[in-house]
Amino acid sequence: MHRGFIKMAAILGVLAVILGAFGAHGLKPLLTEKELATYETAVRYQFYHVFALLITGILYREFVQKYLSLAGKLFAFGILIFSGSLYLLTFMNLSGRPNFQWLGAITPLGGICFVAGWLFILLAVIKKN
């Protein structure tokens, strides 16, 4: 599992760099300041939790694996839900479909996944045999 988390972190890291560059160079002239800020938030939190996923994979052999497994899965789902919903929201607005504002309502679920992932890392360290 730890290798899977490290591979996933690498792939999601590559995507974060690409999406960040695309936002800075390709989308900046097309988006409002608010839309660009939303997009940048998605990229920033993706990056933060790519590193969290990478750390989870590295710690996997040293600490309680079931907690780290849950942490890694929660970080991955958090990126998908939190950042993914913000990316979709931005692209729907860009394509002239502002009726997708409800996507912003699911973003906090991704944030809850992030918080839970960090708590499971803490549990793994506390419960180490």
Side-chain angles (χ1 to χ4, degrees), residues 34-52:
K34 184 180 177 187
E35 291 168 336
L36 188 60
T38 297
Y39 187 85
E40 289 172 347
T41 297
V43 173
R44 186 171 51 254
Y45 275 81
Q46 181 173 342
F47 260 123
Y48 293 159
H49 291 89
V50 159
F51 291 119

Side-chain angles (χ1 to χ4, degrees), residues 24-74:
H25 302 290
L27 293 178
K28 190 173 185 175
L30 304 173
L31 299 175
T32 66
E33 283 186 37
K34 184 180 177 187
E35 291 168 336
L36 188 60
T38 297
Y39 187 85
E40 289 172 347
T41 297
V43 173
R44 186 171 51 254
Y45 275 81
Q46 181 173 342
F47 260 123
Y48 293 159
H49 291 89
V50 159
F51 291 119
L53 191 57
L54 182 63
I55 290 166
T56 302
I58 292 168
L59 293 175
Y60 196 79
R61 287 188 181 196
E62 186 66 27
F63 295 99
V64 180
Q65 293 178 359
K66 69 179 180 177
Y67 293 130
L68 289 175
S69 178
L70 285 169
K73 291 172 185 173
L74 285 163

Side-chain angles (χ1 to χ4, degrees), residues 35 89 91-103:
E35 291 168 336
L89 183 62
F91 288 117
M92 289 298 157
N93 286 342
L94 185 62
S95 68
R97 297 183 182 141
N99 55 336
F100 282 86
Q101 295 301 315
W102 59 268
L103 285 168

